[in-house]
Amino acid sequence: MTNVLSFTPTTPLLRHLSVFSILRRRHNPTTLKSPPHTLSQSPLHCAPHPLPRPSRSASALPAPADGLMQDAGATAVVLAGAYGLVLCFDNLTQRNLLQQNLSRKLVHILSGIFFMLSWPIFSTSTDARYFASVVPLVNCLRLLLHGFSLVTNEGLVKSVTREGNPKELLRGPLYYVLILILCALVFWRESPVGLISLAMMCGGDGVADIMGRKFGSIKIPYNPKKSWAGSISMFLFGFLISMGMLYYYSFLGYFELNWIQTAEKVAFVALVATLVESLPITKVLDDNISVPLASMAAAYLIFSL
Ligand SMILES: C/C(=C\COP(=O)(O)O)CCC[C@H](C)CCC[C@H](C)CCCC(C)C
Ligand SMILES: Nc1ccn([C@@H]2O[C@H](COP(=O)(O)OP(=O)(O)O)[C@@H](O)[C@H]2O)c(=O)n1
């Protein structure tokens, strides 16, 4: 199998791989007629492996309806997961088993990571990304309703804000879900750019807060609100979670990676994200916007080389 990380925008958006068709392919070696493509590079789209059309029994639904059912079900499952995650941390915070700040950060870290992990359960349809984007969109509406106090939900506010002020929902958390929507729609499962950017925002920035608050006695010279411990954690966890996510998608057959090159490129993106996160610009630009956007730009450039 050619071991190259490569993507191409020229190949039309062929049928995307879903975890089921990949597992079917993996466990049915006879269908793997030829090694996957080696493609020219571009960071926007990878042409999925040539997939044989799955054989369908006479009683099976026609492909579009089948995909529609799968995407509708996946959307319901991920929506329930999102609601359950926040409810779980709400309970832990309400029972004072978890500090509010830590609860918010764990929701920050886990929401995006679980969201990315869920993408392969959606169908191979080119519309699957729109179904997946419904989840952060529903949460966006939820944050708006609660942020403007049109609806009250103590638990959500307590598990997702710093001081328990509903208006806080209209900043960090809202930008966070908007970035989830952007990455799902623009990059989806086809490109490492979205996965790496979300890993930096969720894993890197989230862990930086936890480690920085706990061990951040030595501050960064140009930003006394940030610390070396926080920034080093941002780099390390942003890198590790990005690589882990790329390995997950590689295992499922979405990417073929040259791991040495990929590690070097992801390290570069993690460095850029860490530098941006350390800047004293939070009052002007929330780091749930600056970190993922800087990561997208850096990842797009470095994966184009
Ligand atoms: C607390 C959050 C952001 C705050 O960021 P910061 O200001 O501390 O830098 C995250 C808010 C998460 C949101 C309420 C729920 C998002 C759920 C997500 C769209 C889907 C998760 C699905 C998965 C299966 C659990
Ligand atoms: N690089 C970093 C990031 C955060 N932190 C610590 O984490 C706290 C919250 O960081 P932040 O303002 O970036 O929080 P969010 O905007 O990510 O919620 C900071 O006030 C620091 O105590 C750090 O020490 N070093």
Side-chain angles (χ1 to χ4, degrees):
M1 183 184 284
T2 319
N3 209 3
V4 174
L5 169 64
S6 49
F7 311 91
T8 172
T10 52
T11 311
L13 272 186
L14 302 178
R15 281 174 359 97
H16 297 288
L17 307 176
S18 89
V19 63
F20 305 112
S21 42
I22 289 161
L23 291 180
R24 209 165 30 234
R25 184 163 60 80
R26 276 182 182 276
H27 294 97
N28 183 2
T30 53
T31 60
L32 194 58
K33 297 278 181 292
S34 59
H37 283 314
T38 308
L39 305 163
S40 63
Q41 275 201 324
S42 160
L44 267 183
H45 300 294
C46 75
H49 300 305
L51 266 184
R53 284 197 63 75
S55 59
R56 294 183 182 289
S57 64
S59 60
L61 289 167
D66 195 358
L68 197 61
M69 295 281 283
Q70 181 180 342
D71 289 334
T75 304
V77 166
V78 181
L79 267 174
Y83 185 79
L85 180 79
V86 175
L87 192 66
C88 167
F89 281 96
D90 161 29
N91 279 325
L92 291 171
T93 316
Q94 299 280 8
R95 292 177 190 176
N96 295 318
L97 294 174
L98 206 56
Q99 281 181 352
Q100 189 164 342
N101 256 330
L102 183 56
S103 162
R104 180 169 56 82
K105 273 304 147 184
L106 290 175
V107 172
H108 178 124
I109 293 167
L110 297 176
S111 296
I113 289 174
F114 285 154
F115 184 48
M116 286 188 278
L117 292 174
S118 75
W119 288 358
I121 70 171
F122 290 85
S123 80
T124 60
S125 158
T126 48
D127 298 335
R129 69 181 74 196
Y130 302 110
F131 281 90
S133 303
V134 164
V135 180
L137 180 64
V138 166
N139 280 276
C140 175
L141 298 175
R142 195 176 170 209
L143 292 169
L144 289 170
L145 287 172
H146 291 90
F148 288 114
S149 301
L150 301 174
V151 176
T152 49
N153 175 338
E154 282 257 318
L156 175 71
V157 174
K158 204 160 185 218
S159 55
V160 170
T161 62
R162 286 185 179 82
E163 283 100 34
N165 178 352
K167 290 218 178 303
E168 285 182 60
L169 297 175
L170 303 175
R171 288 195 300 274
L174 183 63
Y175 304 145
Y176 180 98
V177 293
L178 290 175
I179 291 293
L180 291 181
I181 295 170
L182 177 71
C183 287
L185 291 179
V186 173
F187 302 106
W188 190 222
R189 304 179 293 215
E190 301 169 340
S191 156
V193 174
L195 299 172
I196 294 169
S197 303
L198 291 184
M200 296 300 166
M201 178 181 76
C202 305
D205 182 36
V207 174
D209 183 315
I210 296 172
M211 303 302 275
R213 286 178 194 273
K214 198 168 176 62
F215 305 108
S217 54
I218 305 172
K219 302 302 182 187
I220 290 175
Y222 53 83
N223 185 358
K225 286 188 177 174
K226 301 289 174 81
S227 66
W228 286 105
S231 292
I232 291 168
S233 304
M234 164 95 195
F235 176 84
L236 280 179
F237 282 85
F239 175 80
L240 292 174
I241 292 171
S242 295
M243 292 301 288
M245 207 51 78
L246 290 179
Y247 180 78
Y248 170 70
Y249 275 81
S250 165
F251 172 76
L252 291 178
Y254 289 90
F255 302 139
E256 289 175 13
L257 300 174
N258 174 318
W259 289 105
I260 305 294
Q261 282 181 19
T262 303
E264 291 165 352
K265 294 180 177 183
V266 171
F268 170 76
V269 178
L271 182 62
V272 170
T274 300
L275 287 173
V276 168
E277 193 276 340
S278 71
L279 297 175
I281 57 170
T282 311
K283 289 200 187 318
V284 176
L285 189 61
D286 192 285
D287 56 13
N288 285 347
I289 296 175
S290 59
V291 167
L293 290 187
S295 302
M296 283 177 211
Y300 180 86
L301 285 175
I302 197 75
F303 280 95
S304 298
L305 299 179

